[in-house]
Structures are given as structure tokens and as C-alpha cells.
Amino acid sequence: MVDGVRRAAPEAAAGAAGAAGAAGPARAAARARAAAARAVARVSGRALGPYQSAVVRIGFSGTWLFFLLREFPHRGELYGPEGPWSFGLAERLIASNHAFSVLVWSDSEPWFQAVYALSVLSSLLLMLGWRTRATSVVFMVGVLSLQNRSVFMGDGGDNVIHLMAMYLVLMRCAQVWSLDARRARLRGSASAGAAGPVLWAVLGALFAFGAVTDRFGYGWLAAFGALWVVSALWWMVDRYEPEGEGRAVLDVLANLVHSAGLLVIMAEVCLIYATAGWYKIQGSRWQDGTALYYPLGLDYFTPWPGLSGVLAGSGTAVMLLSYGTVAVQVAFPFTVFNRRIKNVLLALMMLEHAGIAVLLGLPFFSLAMIAADAVFLPTAFLVWLGARVAARRPGGSAPLPGPTPQPRPVRSAV
């Protein structure tokens, strides 16, 4: 009997070890499932990066607004009937590349002036965060209409604004620092009031006119139709079932779309810098460190000839700035997951764009790139900055409106 016990003991130990070995992968799988569930809950439970998306909204709408106001005296030559790119050429190009522009709906002067004025107004309202879901659509229409009307008038900054105008439509970019956030805080919902339904009714009438007169391609018809239907559904649920399951489902879907838009913007910024840096590496002037010298000698890129001359006269400064530009642009996409290094490179890139604005006379390109870079700014810094701005307001020490405390996000479609 003793011998039987002795033989059974190793067998029991081996069985226990086998069970423990089998439980190890099971526990690992359970931990992986729990981590995935937490990640999904985080992404779907709230709109990520509310301060970053607000800065992106303010930055791009403000950049486009300042550009439109600066070019207001020359708007006809840039995008209107007086421009060298005639209405017929624009119509033929858009018919071939299936771009979108309401300026090819008519070649009349009043129509162009109305579209330009509406672009200015929508930029201002989006920057302030008023009825952001609707104004973001109008802002996108204005950007696409003007830029696609005269395709040779843009530069790299305009291309970035072109893309970001479409991404902002998908994002809940008015959770903080907006009139919508203020309305949500005071009245319980950002969609409160009659202005929203009236605005969407007008947009729906314009959409119906364009659809009936066959002025939309199939893709744009589907896109604008989906935006209008979803917005109408959101308003109905927000008004008649604000605490029901339908509202919860819409919140989850909106958060997922917002997170996808935020991720696309981050990927876009990394792609811009990666391609710019690697293309520079292939250039002989960037390889020998003299690339910056040549634009400093061009009249078109020297708003301050004296300052440009002083910088161009220092070979060491030209070499360091040329090599530093390439190094920062190539390295940035590889540092986004290291907070400290990423923040240092982010500050350097913003300073670089500020230098481009001053030295080369490209303020709107620089503002657009700084607004794109802002998606990577630390939340703590943005909260501190918002508190500082709020403290400087006349008679105000209260903080600017922030997101509604969890677990429920701000009841708004923005």
C-alpha cells in the first residue's frame, strides 16, 4: 500500500503540473480578452483627445479664415470668374476627376460672391464651435469648392486644409472650447434650440436641389445624403429619447468614427513628415547641407531681405538648419510612442514652421502644419493653456468649458 502511495504521488504532481501548464495559456488568453475589452470600452465610451481635436478645429478653420480675409480683395482673380483658370476649364477638369465644387453650378458673379461669403462665415462659426456638425459640413463644402475651382492656386498647406476639412466632419471636435460645449453645459444638450433644425433644413433643401438637378456625382450624393440622414436621426433621438438605448448606440458609433478620424489625422501627419524627410535625403543639396541657402536668395521667398541675408551669410547656420530639418522629419514618425522625445521633436517642428513663416513668407502653410502638429500635443499642456487663457479673460477666473464628466459623454452631436 505504501508503494502504491509512493507511485501515485509523482503521478498526481505531474497531473497538477500539467493542469497548471494548461491554465497558463488560458490565463494569458483571458488577460488578452480583458485588455481588448478595456480598449474597446475606452474608444467607444468617450471621444478621445477632446482638447487635441478642438485645437485642430480652431487651427484649421482659423487658418482658412485668415487666408480668405487676406485674399478678399483678390478673390475674383483667385477663384472667381476673373481668374485665368476659366469656368469652362474648371468644369471640364471636375467632370474628368469627379471632384466637388459648387462653383461649377453657375458662372454668375453673385453665386461666386455668395459662396465666398459663406466660406468666410462657416470658417468663423467653426472656429467658435457654433453648431459644429452643420458648420463643419459647410466649411468642407467651402474649402473643396474654392480649391477645386482653381487647382493651381494652392500649395502644401492648402492640400493639408483640403484633407482636414473632410476629417473634421467625422469628428466630435467641439467637446471643449466651443459654443456648443457651453450650450451643453448650460442647457443640457448642444442641439438645444431651433437654430440647429433650421440650419439642417436649409442644408437639406440645397442638397435636394443639387440631387434633383444632377449636380452631384454618385459618391458625393451618397456622402451628403448619409450626413443629412444621420444628423436628422441624431436630432430626433436626442430630443425624444435622450436617455434611451438609441442614444447610447449613436454615442458609441460617433465615438468610434471620431477615434478613426483622429487616428487618420495622426497617420497623415506622420506620413507627411516621413515622405518629406526621405525625399529630402535623396536631394544632393540636402546631402551637402546647402539646401536652405537657395530659397533665402529668391525675391519671392524673402519678405525680410536683411534677415534672410544674415542667415544665408552663415554657412554653419545653413548647414545645421538643413541637416536638422531632415533629421527631425525623418525621426518624428518613429518617436510618437515615446512621449518625451516626441514632445521635444514636436516643439522643434513647430519652431521650424514658425521660422518658415517669417523667413520664407509662407504664413498660411506654416499655420496649417502647426495646426496638424497640434494633434500630438500633450493633454496636460492643453489643459494648462486653457486655464491660463480663461484666467486672462475679463472678469473670468473660471475654466473654459470642458467635457462632461464620465461615464456619460456630452449630449451633443459634435
Side-chain angles (χ1 to χ4, degrees):
M1 182 176 178
V2 174
D3 292 340
V5 172
R6 289 174 178 174
R7 286 194 300 268
E11 293 176 358
R27 285 196 297 268
R31 286 195 296 268
R33 287 194 297 269
R38 288 193 298 270
V40 171
R42 182 186 180 194
V43 172
S44 61
R46 62 188 178 93
L48 300 178
Y51 293 95
Q52 288 82 356
S53 57
V55 173
V56 170
R57 182 198 86 234
I58 295 170
F60 280 104
S61 57
T63 300
W64 185 242
L65 173 64
F66 298 150
F67 173 79
L68 293 179
L69 293 177
R70 190 194 72 169
E71 301 298 342
F72 190 81
H74 313 290
R75 60 192 183 281
E77 293 85 354
L78 288 175
Y79 303 111
E82 306 169 23
W85 190 251
S86 67
F87 178 82
L89 291 174
E91 197 173 31
R92 288 169 55 188
L93 179 62
I94 289 177
S96 64
N97 63 13
H98 305 292
F100 176 79
S101 176
V102 298
L103 289 178
V104 298
W105 291 11
S106 172
D107 61 347
S108 66
E109 181 72 19
W111 176 247
F112 164 72
Q113 299 295 347
V115 171
Y116 198 94
L118 191 61
S119 298
V120 172
L121 179 61
S122 64
S123 300
L124 176 61
L125 294 178
L126 183 61
M127 184 172 65
L128 297 176
W130 183 83
R131 304 290 175 178
T132 312
R133 181 61 65 214
T135 52
S136 65
V137 175
V138 181
F139 175 77
M140 179 188 70
V141 169
V143 170
L144 298 183
S145 297
L146 292 172
Q147 292 188 354
N148 290 334
R149 170 61 178 82
S150 298
V151 294
F152 297 110
M153 295 298 167
D155 56 20
D158 292 316
N159 292 336
V160 176
I161 294 174
H162 192 106
L163 295 171
M164 298 301 172
M166 294 185 283
Y167 301 152
L168 285 173
V169 173
L170 305 176
M171 297 175 61
R172 308 182 81 173
C173 55
Q175 297 271 294
V176 298
W177 300 344
S178 68
L179 296 178
D180 284 346
R182 181 177 181 272
R183 188 183 310 108
R185 181 168 55 86
L186 296 178
R187 304 178 63 178
S189 172
S191 60
V198 171
L199 182 57
W200 279 107
V202 173
L203 293 177
L206 292 175
F207 170 73
F209 169 77
V212 170
T213 55
D214 197 26
R215 299 183 185 275
F216 293 108
Y218 292 116
W220 289 108
L221 183 65
F224 285 118
L227 285 173
W228 197 91
V229 170
V230 170
S231 298
L233 178 63
W234 189 289
W235 180 82
M236 292 176 61
V237 171
D238 194 45
R239 178 159 184 167
Y240 298 108
E241 197 183 3
E243 303 296 336
E245 294 183 0
R247 175 54 200 260
V249 171
L250 289 179
D251 269 327
V252 169
L253 294 177
N255 291 335
L256 291 175
V257 172
H258 166 86
S259 299
L262 199 65
L263 180 62
V264 169
I265 292 178
M266 292 179 176
E268 191 81 36
V269 173
C270 291
L271 183 62
I272 289 173
Y273 285 120
T275 53
W278 286 105
Y279 272 112
K280 285 181 175 68
I281 287 177
Q282 302 175 45
S284 59
R285 295 294 177 263
W286 289 100
Q287 292 174 7
D288 60 25
T290 62
L292 184 62
Y293 172 81
Y294 298 97
L296 292 175
L298 298 176
D299 292 338
Y300 184 77
F301 291 112
T302 52
W304 310 98
L307 182 59
S308 299
V310 170
L311 182 59
S314 173
T316 302
V318 168
M319 181 188 67
L320 291 177
L321 290 174
S322 298
Y323 285 151
T325 298
V326 175
V328 169
Q329 290 183 349
V330 171
F332 180 76
F334 300 101
T335 64
V336 292
F337 297 106
N338 188 305
R339 182 177 303 176
R340 292 183 178 180
I341 300 177
K342 180 262 295 181
N343 290 340
V344 172
L345 294 185
L346 192 62
L348 291 176
M349 288 192 301
M350 289 185 170
L351 289 175
E352 173 194 338
H353 290 303
I356 290 174
V358 175
L359 290 173
L360 302 183
L362 297 172
F364 298 107
F365 166 79
S366 299
L367 285 174
M369 291 308 304
I370 291 174
D373 294 341
V375 74
F376 290 104
L377 286 174
T379 300
F381 169 75
L382 292 176
V383 172
W384 172 84
L385 183 64
R388 295 282 293 181
V389 172
R392 291 179 178 273
R393 289 185 302 165
S397 59
L400 291 173
T404 298
Q406 296 300 314
R408 183 167 182 80
V410 174
R411 290 179 47 200
S412 70
V414 296

